[in-house]
Amino acid sequence: MLEDAERSGTLKPGMTVVEYTSGNTGIGIAMICAAKGYKCIICMPQLPPFEERYIVCRMFGADVHLTAPALGMPGLKSYTENLVEKNEGYFLVNQFFNEANPSIHYTTTGPEIWEQSGENVDYFITGVGTGGTATGTGKYLCEKNPNCKVICVEPTESRVHLGAAHTPHTILGIGAGVPTHFLTELAPGQPFAEGSRGLVSEFLSASSSESIEWATKLAKTEGIMVGPSSGATLKVAMDLAERPEAKGKTIVVIAASHGIRYTAHPLWKEMKQEAKTALPQPPNMSKDEGTLFWDSSKA
């Protein structure tokens, strides 16, 4: 998105890059701005699970603005847009509406998946953040295989793409609480309801607790550490794989982020509680109480 803006002349040297985000895209933007020499402002809600995102963005040199959580995505969006409007030389990335978002997935993510799958994708499952991955990658895969089914995953607590109300959840990165522009544009004027929408065959869901359960299971049984949104997409993939019509089919699942970015999230709550007991502050510096002070298998 930044390189597209540079090519068009919208983003010029000396400008400040601004974006509102749930965090992962913000980290990427902060990193690229550091490498390219742009000042950067990342805006996100003031919530405890965003601790790692705050720290990482700051380490890349970005300023971070934290908005009122109760105002949700509309409040975050409004604050950021007003900030850019009031400051000449500020460039808003605008990932939720920037056509370079689905475009780059069409030209890179889609071909990469198609090649690595051996040109065989029957189901493509991704969480709904901006909708860019679903629409861009999904378009490419459906062009290659018209029978490919694109499955979008939302939090069970926030099924807005089925017309349901948004309620709070803990699956960071998906479920912003409002219908996304890119998925809306797949069928302009069509109400959000059960069933397909454009190239999207189904909107399925996982709950906050299920996303934690499956992210934890993936780490402990497969050695793959992912965040809660990836737990959600995996849960949906496992449910889908049990359908009779999915037998023998190739199912591709997007795992959007590494689990280490979520140590302030409920995903890590149990392990953090154990670690706090295992590693007391201050440490026990006694030389007279034996050698072994802690065995996690007996915790």
Side-chain angles (χ1 to χ4, degrees):
M1 291 184 285
L2 296 182
E3 291 181 344
D4 180 76
E6 288 176 326
R7 285 192 294 269
S8 69
T10 309
L11 176 59
K12 302 178 178 67
M15 296 182 72
T16 296
V17 175
V18 185
E19 181 62 324
Y20 61 97
T21 174
S22 63
N24 283 323
T25 300
I27 290 173
I29 290 170
M31 178 182 70
I32 297 302
C33 285
K36 287 179 171 286
Y38 293 110
K39 292 182 179 179
C40 180
I41 299 173
I42 299 299
C43 304
M44 50 189 167
Q46 191 184 53
L47 290 167
F50 287 79
E51 179 181 351
E52 292 88 0
R53 287 151 181 70
Y54 181 94
I55 293 170
V56 175
C57 288
R58 293 291 291 130
M59 282 295 290
F60 281 128
D63 285 327
V64 177
H65 293 193
L66 302 175
T67 62
L71 297 180
M73 179 58 74
L76 176 63
K77 178 176 181 288
S78 176
Y79 170 80
T80 309
E81 290 175 342
N82 288 336
L83 179 67
V84 172
E85 185 178 342
K86 293 176 181 177
N87 290 274
E88 186 178 353
Y90 279 21
F91 167 74
L92 178 62
V93 179
N94 210 13
Q95 60 178 310
F96 283 85
F97 295 88
N98 190 328
E99 291 296 331
N101 174 353
S103 176
I104 196 66
H105 287 295
Y106 179 83
T107 57
T108 62
T109 314
E112 180 180 347
I113 289 172
W114 186 248
E115 178 184 353
Q116 292 192 8
S117 68
E119 301 185 348
N120 180 28
V121 180
D122 298 300
Y123 294 90
F124 174 64
I125 302 175
T126 181
V128 178
T130 64
T133 304
T135 54
T137 308
K139 179 182 178 182
Y140 181 89
L141 295 176
C142 288
E143 287 178 354
K144 291 297 184 180
N145 175 15
N147 295 317
C148 177
K149 297 186 182 302
V150 178
I151 311 295
C152 285
V153 179
E154 296 185 284
T156 303
E157 301 92 334
S158 183
R159 305 202 69 184
V160 298
H161 290 92
L162 293 186
H166 167 76
T167 59
H169 63 87
T170 62
I171 311 178
L172 298 185
I174 66 173
V178 293
T180 59
H181 167 73
F182 298 124
L183 293 176
T184 299
E185 289 302 301
L186 289 178
Q190 176 182 317
F192 285 100
E194 291 279 357
S196 62
R197 186 179 188 87
L199 59 80
V200 177
S201 298
E202 290 183 83
F203 290 90
L204 300 179
S205 74
S207 68
S208 295
S209 59
E210 288 170 334
S211 72
I212 291 173
E213 175 190 351
W214 281 95
T216 302
K217 186 177 295 186
L218 192 60
K220 292 187 175 181
T221 62
E222 300 293 339
I224 302 173
M225 186 173 290
V226 297
S229 69
S230 303
T233 56
L234 178 66
K235 188 269 181 187
V236 166
M238 297 301 286
D239 289 346
L240 190 148
E242 292 182 351
R243 296 179 181 180
E245 66 269 24
K247 184 176 181 179
K249 301 295 185 180
T250 299
I251 302 173
V252 174
V253 186
I254 292 292
S257 55
H258 196 290
I260 200 63
R261 288 185 178 176
Y262 299 87
T263 61
H265 184 275
L267 173 64
W268 286 80
K269 181 178 179 180
E270 183 180 332
M271 287 298 101
K272 287 183 72 176
Q273 289 175 338
E274 178 182 313
K276 187 175 181 179
T277 304
L279 302 165
Q281 291 288 345
N284 184 348
M285 299 303 293
S286 172
K287 296 181 180 179
D288 303 319
E289 298 182 29
T291 302
L292 180 65
F293 279 11
W294 179 265
D295 179 347
S296 64
S297 68
K298 298 177 181 178

